[in-house]
Amino acid sequence: MPELGKYADTVILAYVVSLALIFGLVALTWVQNRRAKRLLNAQEANHGK
Amino acid sequence: MLALFTRDLKLAFRSGGGFGLALAFFLIVVMFVPFGVGSDLVLLARIAPGILWIGALLACLLSLDRIFQLDYEDGTLDVLATSPLPLTGITAAKAAAHWVTTGLPLTLAAVPLGYLLNLPQPAYIWLFASLAIGTPALSFIGAFGAAITVGIKRGGLLLSLLVLPLYIPTLIFGALSVTKSVEGLNPLPSLTLLAGLTLFSIVLMPFASAMALKSNLKG
Amino acid sequence: MLALFTRDLKLAFRSGGGFGLALAFFLIVVMFVPFGVGSDLVLLARIAPGILWIGALLACLLSLDRIFQLDYEDGTLDVLATSPLPLTGITAAKAAAHWVTTGLPLTLAAVPLGYLLNLPQPAYIWLFASLAIGTPALSFIGAFGAAITVGIKRGGLLLSLLVLPLYIPTLIFGALSVTKSVEGLNPLPSLTLLAGLTLFSIVLMPFASAMALKSNLKG
Amino acid sequence: MSLWEYANPVKFMRLTGRLLPFLCVLTAVSLATGIIWGFFGTPDDYKQGSTVKIIFIHVPAATMAVSAWFMMLVTSLIWLIRRHHISALAAKAAAPIGLTLTLIALGTGAIWGKPMWGTYWAWDPRLTSFLILAVFYLGYIALWKAVEDNDTAADLTSILCMVGSVFAFLSRYAVNFWNQGLHQGASIAVNKEQHVDNAYIYPLFLSFAGFFLLFVTLVFVRTRTEIRLRRAAALQARSL
Amino acid sequence: MTVTVTDISCTRGLRQVLQGVSFNLAPGDSLILRGPNGVGKSTLLRVLAGLGPVAGGTLDLNPDDVAYSGHLDAVKFQLTVQENLAFWAGVYDTDQTIEVIARFDLTKLKDRLAGSLSAGQKRRLGLARMVLSGRKIWLMDEPTTSLDAHHTALIAQSISAHCAGGGIAILSTHLDLDIPTARTLDLAQFIPTKTTDTSIFLQGSF
Amino acid sequence: MTVTVTDISCTRGLRQVLQGVSFNLAPGDSLILRGPNGVGKSTLLRVLAGLGPVAGGTLDLNPDDVAYSGHLDAVKFQLTVQENLAFWAGVYDTDQTIEVIARFDLTKLKDRLAGSLSAGQKRRLGLARMVLSGRKIWLMDEPTTSLDAHHTALIAQSISAHCAGGGIAILSTHLDLDIPTARTLDLAQFIPTKTTDTSIFLQGSF
Ligand code: HEM
Ligand SMILES: Nc1ncnc2c1ncn2[C@@H]1O[C@H](COP(=O)(O)OP(=O)(O)OP(=O)(O)O)[C@@H](O)[C@H]1O
Ligand SMILES: Nc1ncnc2c1ncn2[C@@H]1O[C@H](COP(=O)(O)OP(=O)(O)OP(=O)(O)O)[C@@H](O)[C@H]1O
Ligand SMILES: [Mg+2]
Ligand SMILES: [Mg+2]
């Protein structure tokens, strides 16, 4: 851990918030992608040629 | 009644996320204030309680015509009026659904928006409390206005006009309780009066709304 | 085009006085401010230019959905789109009619309302000028928002969400020119920019609106 | 052989399907090293102390937030002119990413502002225009949600993006005119004397690359999601 | 459960539209209102449903037995066909949604948003509500508007079946519906000849 | 001034509704579209009017000759009957308002607000616009909905007269209209059997 001095809270908070948002978006994207894949597979099985 | 309540919620979610929109409107009205009056933080802090309450009130107002108008236009209201549900129950269920989709999210959003306007620290809890207690009154009074104007094409503005004066006491007590807390005074008296007002609206307005609806349908 | 313009004016007069309503809304919003922020005259004078502009803007906003929605719902828009009138002309005529029934009365009413908010003396002329110059932009930009949301049931709030950010430059230049005049500075630069913005909106927005309408009708 | 080939869903799926594994790795590596280097391996600033480390997230996020809107503008225009569905879907896919990046820039900026300016929020033009950008993103996303017909939604959002871009630009100008701010100006200007110290510049570039790659990767994945949903809907419609 | 209408007058706005309408219906009866455009069919049906003022005469029917369908379909575009009916099932407190969907030939459309139905399909959805209501007295204003021949017959059958089961139906139409037991009432005979001055402002002079 | 429709496909949302519709109309011709509910009559008429996308095939008609009337009446409730028509007269730049009012049996109603008309009266007002437009190609979606027998015949006559004067009419209906010269096209034969995959998302697999 680097020495962050009196601004430790600030810096860590900024990183945590940003990483949380990034991971949130990545997770959302992943979940939606998987759901779409599953839906499409089901549809292909039902109605595919 | 429950069927009506849940259907109204469902419709609000379906039609392009009615849930988020009142919120977005609130956000933008609050954003507009600095553009209009300038970005002086001290000034903003002074007008913050009032602006936040007015913003919430306007966001609520804008969504009032949803309550009855569409059901009227597609004939659903005629059918509901001849259904087993009492008109009072119908108006109450619809006002409640309106609160859940509008008043509730506004209350939750007000706190972060308070920060944009530099609202002083101790006031946040009172802002939240006053909105939580006051917004149901806005929905129930608003439903009355919506019931009165239901037959009128483009009644939106007339509705605003009728409802705004009815909102004045709610606004005064609501904003006052926040202002008091900013000034270090006791916000409880105004808050109590606000609660009384809300209770009154919830209990009595549905009857008035039902009367208004009934005579609108007979026209 | 003229037929459409005069018909829109006629409809606005007929349906419960569309003319007066934006005005009344404006009046009430302005009246609300003292209830919300308290009645300190010095404070009110400081925020008056901003509040007046924001009030006019909101009053205008509230009446936007009138522009196309009703014509869409009763099938008139379908017929108009197949009529000899070009869509660009249709949107321009409707935006112009909206301005006459909304922007114009708001401009006229702003001066007496300024008095209620204790607006300082030299600012009146600039308030009037900025609204006269700026409100056409509000109508033409608003007509674009109305064209985009025309197919959407209960699109009122979405309309606000889309239009409000587009209104920001107008609001800034408009309010700024009044504020500047209050502070004894030169309001002309902002006013010139405002005029440019209005010209831009009048000339170009009808094309964007026509595109939006066209694809909405094809849906 | 032209770029337009990839306006075909099959080709697009095949290409991105092949590219994505590499992109993911590349993104993860550059973003991680950029951020870790920035966080652990850089000295404090003499004036700003350790808060300067926020720059490694704040600046790339802010830049990409604006770039994302620009990308949406370009793909929207392509849809309006050439009517390639993939283009419209890419714009749709980019919007939530752009919004998130905007929120990151706003969030880190706000947190940074507390020690530097003594407040989380001030109505500085730079900050304000980012708030406006967020609202544009919100409106754009809401419009996609609200319109039922796919092609109509693509048309309308594209038109909104076009008009919105003009007004976003005007707002930026207006906001500057309205208020002179606290925020520092561009500091990576190439031929300026006062630029960021070398100690910061390399991790900053890495982090830039990381955010850029993150954006590209996510746009690809989200566009693929949208394409699959379209196909599923088309299949279902065919069966009814 | 009967319908007794005695010497009823109807007004619309300030205009007196019908005068002296009387009829009696017992369980199993059905009545078809006919007459040219603007004679007052819709007006009379609204009055019977309690949605309009009775300007004269007496009306004897239990409002809790009435199900009404007007010129408008009372269909929510943002809900699916099934959701639309499920809502009305909730209001009328039944659980017949699935049966009714089948009976009105809506099974294939059940998961479609109602907004994407054709005119006739919407109409059917609107009429399905009548059965769902479980009520005895059906008031229907031009029920077969926009319906093709096949579905017109289907609706006529539904009405016959309803009456055969002890229900009452009063409907207006411009077409010839095949409801064997139905009586017909031509409203043209009730057009006010010499309007009685119902308005209090016309009584006396000043 | 002719209408040439060659092998046209129509879609609604993602659904392909019609496939391979072709017909030719010369001045004086009229065509009645028939078919069960939901077959695609309204969809086809909107496509012809330029209000819907052509999903395949070619459409050859001059949009400046077209007058369209749909399921909705396009009537403004707050204007009187005469004002409604005067507005359209302004749009189409004619001055035939009075004649048209007489021809559609609206003279008695001419100063009434359109909102206070009965369903059939509104319909008539909507249709009067077609004559007023002076346009040659009439596209009408179930024009006689809500009309009584007398006025149904009147509309049929109007259409006949329009065609006799060298006009073209394409209309959908579920009733039998008395237009002697009209051809009939049953759209049921164009229901897509094996849908061609028009959507780009169905071409190839992934
Ligand atoms: C919510 C608040 C903030 C927002 C939306 C914001 C936005 C931005 C944007 C858009 C940029 C990139 C501009 C460019 O490259 O030209 C930027 C850069 C930067 N910001 Fe912020 N900022 C915020 C707050 C802060 C604060 C509080 C600080 C520190 C005191 C700060 C320091 C910087 C620095 C040092 C740069 C780099 C300048 C450059 O490389 O051009 N920002 N910010
Ligand atoms: N809101 C109103 N105000 C005044 N008069 C009205 C109003 N609504 C209808 N009328 C008039 O009342 C009369 C009866 O109308 P009603 O709608 O009952 O006719 P209808 O028999 O149902 O006709 P249709 O077959 O066309 O539906 C008509 O002459 C009509 O013009
Ligand atoms: N907005 C829409 N989205 C998707 N499908 C639609 C939409 N509108 C109509 N449809 C479907 O397209 C088909 C054709 O509809 P259309 O309205 O053209 O039928 P129609 O022949 O006019 O029927 P009707 O006699 O009932 O008026 C129907 O199956 C309908 O369900
Ligand atoms: Mg009727
Ligand atoms: Mg149809």
Side-chain angles (χ1 to χ4, degrees):
Chain A
M1 201 64 191
E3 192 49 61
L4 295 172
K6 59 177 173 167
Y7 295 132
D9 297 354
T10 307
V11 179
I12 289 171
L13 182 63
Y15 272 76
V16 167
V17 167
S18 308
L19 292 179
L21 278 169
I22 291 174
F23 280 120
L25 180 66
V26 170
L28 182 75
T29 302
W30 193 59
V31 168
Q32 286 174 336
N33 189 43
R34 284 236 333 221
R35 203 181 295 153
K37 236 187 235 174
R38 221 178 304 135
L39 181 71
L40 179 57
N41 286 340
Q43 292 287 1
E44 300 264 20
N46 276 350
H47 314 296
K49 329 189 168 175
Chain B
M1 232 92 90
L2 194 65
L4 187 59
F5 178 75
T6 53
R7 186 206 63 152
D8 269 24
L9 291 189
K10 204 183 273 179
L11 284 176
F13 279 106
R14 287 280 163 89
S15 55
F19 217 64
L21 285 174
L23 218 82
F25 182 79
F26 187 29
L27 168 76
I28 299 180
V29 168
V30 171
M31 254 177 71
F32 266 29
V33 173
F35 294 135
V37 306
S39 52
D40 175 358
L41 285 179
V42 180
L43 179 64
L44 285 178
R46 272 200 66 189
I47 61 176
I51 296 296
L52 285 167
W53 252 94
I54 293 175
L57 197 151
L58 290 176
C60 184
L61 190 74
L62 260 185
S63 53
L64 286 180
D65 61 340
R66 299 175 161 226
I67 300 183
F68 296 114
Q69 191 65 26
L70 279 172
D71 276 346
Y72 175 81
E73 280 170 10
D74 65 13
T76 303
L77 209 54
D78 280 342
V79 179
L80 277 176
T82 58
S83 81
L85 305 182
L87 270 179
T88 327
I90 291 173
T91 58
K94 281 183 154 286
H98 180 261
W99 182 75
V100 173
T101 54
T102 313
L104 186 61
L106 288 179
T107 307
L108 299 177
V111 172
L113 289 183
Y115 203 87
L116 284 187
L117 294 183
N118 198 27
L119 187 74
Q121 207 65 68
Y124 286 98
I125 175 83
W126 299 107
L127 175 66
F128 182 82
S130 71
L131 281 171
I133 294 173
T135 45
L138 298 183
S139 289
F140 278 81
I141 298 171
F144 169 68
I148 284 207
T149 53
V150 75
I152 302 165
K153 288 251 155 191
R154 300 178 168 180
L157 269 175
L158 180 62
L159 170 58
S160 313
L161 201 60
L162 292 181
V163 167
L164 281 176
L166 302 180
Y167 276 177
I168 288 179
T170 317
L171 173 65
I172 292 181
F173 295 133
L176 204 59
S177 63
V178 187
T179 316
K180 286 262 152 99
S181 75
V182 171
E183 292 166 353
L185 302 172
N186 184 4
L188 276 179
S190 341
L191 213 59
T192 317
L193 287 170
L194 186 65
L197 201 63
T198 299
L199 220 66
F200 171 84
S201 309
I202 293 181
V203 174
L204 293 184
M205 291 316 277
F207 292 97
S209 314
M211 278 171 69
L213 262 192
K214 176 154 229 154
S215 95
N216 259 324
L217 292 178
K218 284 235 170 169
Chain C
M1 231 94 90
L2 192 67
L4 187 59
F5 177 75
T6 51
R7 186 205 64 153
D8 269 25
L9 291 190
K10 204 182 272 177
L11 284 175
F13 280 107
R14 289 280 164 88
S15 56
F19 217 62
L21 283 175
L23 218 82
F25 181 80
F26 185 33
L27 171 77
I28 298 182
V29 168
V30 171
M31 261 177 57
F32 264 31
V33 172
F35 291 124
V37 306
S39 49
D40 174 358
L41 282 181
V42 181
L43 180 65
L44 284 179
R46 270 202 67 190
I47 62 175
I51 296 296
L52 286 168
W53 252 93
I54 293 174
L57 197 151
L58 291 176
C60 183
L61 190 75
L62 263 183
S63 53
L64 286 181
D65 61 340
R66 298 174 159 224
I67 300 184
F68 296 115
Q69 190 66 27
L70 279 173
D71 277 345
Y72 176 80
E73 280 169 8
D74 65 14
T76 304
L77 211 51
D78 280 341
V79 179
L80 278 177
T82 58
S83 81
L85 305 183
L87 270 180
T88 327
I90 293 174
T91 58
K94 283 183 154 284
H98 180 260
W99 181 74
V100 173
T101 53
T102 313
L104 186 62
L106 288 179
T107 306
L108 300 175
V111 172
L113 287 183
Y115 201 85
L116 281 187
L117 292 184
N118 196 28
L119 186 73
Q121 206 63 65
Y124 285 98
I125 175 83
W126 297 107
L127 176 67
F128 182 81
S130 71
L131 282 170
I133 294 174
T135 44
L138 298 182
S139 290
F140 277 81
I141 297 171
F144 168 70
I148 281 212
T149 52
V150 74
I152 300 165
K153 289 250 155 195
R154 300 178 167 181
L157 270 176
L158 180 63
L159 172 58
S160 314
L161 178 59
L162 297 184
V163 165
L164 284 176
L166 303 179
Y167 276 175
I168 288 177
T170 317
L171 172 62
I172 289 180
F173 294 134
L176 207 57
S177 62
V178 188
T179 316
K180 286 261 152 98
S181 76
V182 171
E183 291 166 354
L185 302 171
N186 184 4
L188 277 179
S190 338
L191 212 58
T192 316
L193 288 169
L194 185 65
L197 198 64
T198 299
L199 221 65
F200 170 85
S201 308
I202 293 181
V203 174
L204 291 185
M205 293 314 278
F207 292 95
S209 314
M211 274 172 78
L213 262 193
K214 174 154 230 155
S215 90
N216 257 323
L217 292 179
K218 284 233 169 170
Chain D
M1 165 75 208
S2 81
L3 190 61
W4 299 125
E5 256 179 56
Y6 296 102
N8 175 305
V10 178
K11 289 242 169 78
F12 181 88
M13 291 299 278
R14 203 180 304 141
L15 177 76
T16 52
R18 274 200 226 115
L19 283 181
L20 269 175
F22 301 102
L23 274 175
C24 286
V25 173
L26 224 58
T27 305
V29 170
S30 53
L31 197 61
T33 38
I35 287 178
I36 291 171
W37 186 356
F39 189 78
F40 292 99
T42 54
D44 287 1
D45 185 75
Y46 73 98
K47 216 166 63 194
Q48 306 187 353
S50 60
T51 58
V52 74
K53 292 177 195 296
I54 296 176
I55 206 173
F56 303 109
I57 292 178
H58 177 73
V59 177
T63 312
M64 283 313 296
V66 177
S67 310
W69 183 270
F70 190 70
M71 172 260 177
M72 282 160 55
L73 174 62
V74 173
T75 46
S76 294
L77 289 177
I78 292 177
W79 160 254
L80 285 180
I81 296 164
R82 303 201 51 147
R83 305 202 78 76
H84 292 316
H85 287 81
I86 307 290
S87 191
L89 290 184
K92 183 183 185 184
I97 312 172
L99 178 62
T100 311
L101 290 167
T102 310
L103 292 180
I104 291 175
L106 277 173
T108 50
I111 294 166
W112 202 351
K114 189 66 181 174
M116 291 299 112
W117 309 332
T119 174
Y120 286 108
W121 184 260
W123 290 90
D124 165 280
R126 182 77 65 85
L127 318 197
T128 306
S129 38
F130 255 62
L131 193 58
I132 296 173
L133 183 63
V135 173
F136 273 112
Y137 274 121
L138 277 177
Y140 180 88
I141 293 170
L143 186 59
W144 263 112
K145 286 231 168 75
V147 183
E148 268 153 35
D149 182 75
N150 289 324
D151 284 5
T152 310
D155 281 348
L156 296 177
T157 51
S158 297
I159 298 167
L160 178 71
C161 185
M162 207 169 66
V163 173
S165 302
V166 175
F167 278 86
F169 184 79
L170 288 173
S171 304
R172 182 80 180 81
Y173 180 77
V175 167
N176 264 330
F177 191 85
W178 164 71
N179 187 352
Q180 281 67 34
L182 306 156
H183 197 284
Q184 42 269 82
S187 42
I188 323 187
V190 187
N191 48 6
K192 238 191 193 170
E193 240 171 75
Q194 179 203 20
H195 58 84
V196 174
D197 194 273
N198 275 343
Y200 301 114
I201 203 93
Y202 296 112
L204 186 57
F205 273 137
L206 256 180
S207 176
F208 255 115
F211 270 89
F212 177 74
L213 288 169
L214 177 71
F215 176 70
V216 174
T217 311
L218 286 177
V219 167
F220 278 173
V221 176
R222 296 186 72 88
T223 310
R224 287 166 66 83
T225 305
E226 296 293 341
I227 291 174
R228 289 203 172 99
L229 289 176
R230 275 299 174 83
R231 183 178 172 89
L235 279 171
Q236 191 182 17
R238 189 173 66 177
S239 74
L240 283 181
Chain E
M1 197 233 21
T2 56
V3 178
T4 312
V5 171
T6 319
D7 199 24
I8 244 179
S9 301
C10 308
T11 55
R12 204 69 192 260
L14 289 174
R15 197 181 328 282
Q16 188 169 13
V17 173
L18 290 171
Q19 192 176 46
V21 183
S22 302
F23 54 82
N24 268 299
L25 299 173
D29 289 353
S30 53
L31 182 70
I32 297 183
L33 304 176
R34 306 207 59 143
N37 288 140
V39 76
K41 301 180 291 301
S42 302
T43 308
L44 180 59
L45 284 168
R46 285 186 71 86
V47 168
L48 295 178
L51 294 169
V54 182
T58 58
L59 173 63
D60 183 14
L61 88 178
N62 182 354
D64 290 339
D65 286 331
V66 166
Y68 168 80
S69 94
H71 279 301
L72 299 166
D73 291 327
V75 154
K76 281 288 155 207
F77 288 10
Q78 302 102 315
L79 299 181
T80 65
V81 169
Q82 178 154 22
E83 284 169 338
N84 264 293
L85 288 174
F87 164 63
W88 289 114
V91 168
Y92 287 109
D93 202 14
T94 64
D95 48 8
Q96 309 247 306
T97 316
I98 301 296
E99 292 91 317
V100 169
I101 285 178
R103 259 182 71 181
F104 279 79
D105 200 7
L106 294 166
T107 315
K108 267 198 188 155
L109 304 171
K110 99 181 173 342
D111 295 320
R112 293 258 300 268
L113 288 183
S116 81
L117 299 181
S118 80
Q121 291 163 341
K122 273 184 200 126
R123 194 75 191 160
R124 245 143 67 208
L125 176 52
L127 292 175
R129 193 192 60 240
M130 303 298 280
V131 174
L132 205 58
S133 74
R135 295 204 157 177
K136 288 295 180 190
I137 305 176
W138 287 4
L139 305 175
M140 306 166 103
D141 201 354
E142 298 190 42
T144 60
T145 298
S146 307
L147 292 183
D148 57 28
H150 170 68
H151 290 106
T152 303
L154 188 95
I155 299 297
Q157 264 169 39
S158 268
I159 297 172
S160 296
H162 174 68
C163 293
I168 293 180
I170 307 177
L171 50 141
S172 73
T173 182
H174 293 299
L175 309 178
D176 294 311
L177 294 182
D178 181 27
I179 308 177
T181 61
R183 280 193 278 151
T184 301
L185 187 69
D186 186 354
L187 291 185
Q189 59 186 293
F190 302 113
I191 294 175
T193 42
K194 205 183 115 298
T195 35
T196 46
D197 293 335
T198 44
S199 165
I200 193 170
F201 296 101
L202 291 178
Q203 277 146 28
S205 68
F206 44 88
Chain F
M1 195 231 25
T2 56
V3 177
T4 312
V5 170
T6 320
D7 199 24
I8 244 180
S9 300
C10 307
T11 54
R12 205 69 194 259
L14 289 174
R15 199 179 327 282
Q16 187 171 15
V17 174
L18 290 172
Q19 193 177 45
V21 183
S22 303
F23 55 82
N24 268 300
L25 299 174
D29 290 353
S30 53
L31 182 71
I32 297 184
L33 305 176
R34 304 207 62 143
N37 287 140
V39 77
K41 299 180 293 300
S42 304
T43 307
L44 181 58
L45 284 168
R46 284 185 72 85
V47 169
L48 294 177
L51 293 170
V54 181
T58 57
L59 174 63
D60 183 15
L61 88 178
N62 181 354
D64 290 339
D65 286 332
V66 167
Y68 167 80
S69 95
H71 279 301
L72 299 165
D73 291 327
V75 154
K76 282 287 155 207
F77 288 11
Q78 302 102 315
L79 300 180
T80 65
V81 169
Q82 178 155 22
E83 284 169 338
N84 263 291
L85 288 174
F87 163 62
W88 289 114
V91 168
Y92 289 106
D93 202 13
T94 63
D95 49 6
Q96 309 247 304
T97 317
I98 301 297
E99 290 92 316
V100 169
I101 286 178
R103 260 183 70 182
F104 279 79
D105 199 7
L106 293 165
T107 315
K108 266 197 188 155
L109 303 171
K110 105 182 167 342
D111 296 320
R112 291 258 300 269
L113 288 183
S116 81
L117 299 181
S118 79
Q121 291 164 340
K122 272 182 201 131
R123 194 77 192 157
R124 244 145 64 211
L125 175 52
L127 292 175
R129 193 192 59 241
M130 304 297 281
V131 174
L132 205 57
S133 74
R135 295 204 156 179
K136 288 294 179 189
I137 304 176
W138 286 6
L139 304 176
M140 307 168 102
D141 203 355
E142 297 189 42
T144 60
T145 299
S146 307
L147 293 184
D148 58 28
H150 170 68
H151 290 106
T152 304
L154 188 94
I155 299 298
Q157 263 168 39
S158 270
I159 297 173
S160 296
H162 174 68
C163 294
I168 292 181
I170 307 178
L171 50 141
S172 74
T173 182
H174 293 299
L175 309 178
D176 295 309
L177 293 183
D178 182 27
I179 307 177
T181 61
R183 281 192 277 151
T184 300
L185 186 70
D186 186 353
L187 291 185
Q189 57 184 298
F190 302 113
I191 295 175
T193 42
K194 203 184 120 296
T195 36
T196 47
D197 292 334
T198 45
S199 165
I200 193 173
F201 295 99
L202 290 178
Q203 280 147 27
S205 70
F206 39 86

